[in-house]
Structures are given as structure tokens and as C-alpha cells.
Amino acid sequence: MSTFNDSTARQWRARVAYIAAVFAAMALGLGSRAFADRLPVFVAEHVGDALWACMIYFGFRACFAHRKISFALWCSLAFCFAIEFSQLYQADWINQIRDTTLGALVLGKGFLAADLVRYSAGIAVSSLLDVAWPWRKRS
């Protein structure tokens, strides 16, 4: 019984940490867009998309804290790639959603193959950070 409670408590602590990471990635990503004119060109052009993918990765980890890191890695890649490829679909109804601020942040505007590289880099960095976090229980 005690093991179950310890395991449950560990998962909730992990979820809280992952949710905090989601908000941190979100804040940094929005900041990279808002202050793009003050950042180095490379950072302004690439980091926002990588941070969006980081946010997605940590969101999957928050929802599936009990699963392996590789599960979140592959789910995040699939999700990010699906969103990017969905931008090839240009019907009026979805473009009206994309014309809103929230729609543009979630769905993007147009397909860019470079975004796939940015998403992959963001997810790779996130998963490496996840492995390296000292509070993670090694089993």
C-alpha cells in the first residue's frame, strides 16, 4: 500500500513539474515572438518553433507521466508533424481559424519543411532535459 502511495505522489510531483515546464516553454516562446526584433536573427527565426515543440513534449509528459520518455518523444513528433502537414490544407474554414491569434499559434499559417527540423530539435532538447533532470527517479 505504501509503495502505491509513493508512486502516486511521485507521478503527481512529476506532473506538476511538467506543467511548470509547459508554461515556461510557452512564456519563452511567446517572448521570442514578442521581442524578435531585439533577439539575434537565428534565435528570432528558429527558437519559437522549437519552444512550441518543447511545450507539446512537456504537455505529453504531464498527461502520461507514467509512460516512458520515448512515448512522449514519438507522440510529440507525430503531433507536431501532423500540425505542420495540416497546413498544406487551405480550405476557407480552417484559414479563418488560422487568421485568429490563437489559431495561428496552434495551427500555424503555411507549411515550411524547416519547421519539421525545428520541432525535431525542440523535442530532442526537451527529452534530453527530461532525462537529465536530477529529481527524476532512476530505476
Side-chain angles (χ1 to χ4, degrees), residues 97-117:
I97 296 171
R98 288 181 180 130
D99 286 339
T100 66
T101 301
L102 183 60
L105 287 171
V106 174
L107 299 174
K109 290 274 189 178
F111 178 83
L112 289 173
D115 284 350
L116 301 174
V117 175

Side-chain angles (χ1 to χ4, degrees), residues 56 60 72-85 123:
I56 298 300
F60 273 107
L73 187 147
W74 292 113
C75 287
S76 301
L77 278 174
F79 182 86
C80 291
F81 278 43
I83 292 292
E84 192 63 29
F85 282 108
I123 292 167

Side-chain angles (χ1 to χ4, degrees), residues 28-106:
L28 290 170
L30 291 172
S32 76
R33 299 291 191 210
F35 301 106
D37 57 334
R38 296 183 184 138
L39 295 171
V41 175
F42 181 84
V43 173
E45 289 180 359
H46 303 292
V47 171
D49 291 318
L51 286 166
W52 183 80
C54 291
M55 180 192 70
I56 298 300
Y57 172 84
F58 289 124
F60 273 107
R61 288 297 286 155
C63 293
F64 302 102
H66 61 286
R67 302 290 299 263
K68 291 183 178 183
I69 288 173
S70 61
F71 177 81
L73 187 147
W74 292 113
C75 287
S76 301
L77 278 174
F79 182 86
C80 291
F81 278 43
I83 292 292
E84 192 63 29
F85 282 108
S86 78
Q87 294 170 23
L88 294 171
Y89 180 67
Q90 294 291 320
D92 286 336
W93 70 271
I94 198 161
N95 285 337
Q96 288 176 346
I97 296 171
R98 288 181 180 130
D99 286 339
T100 66
T101 301
L102 183 60
L105 287 171
V106 174

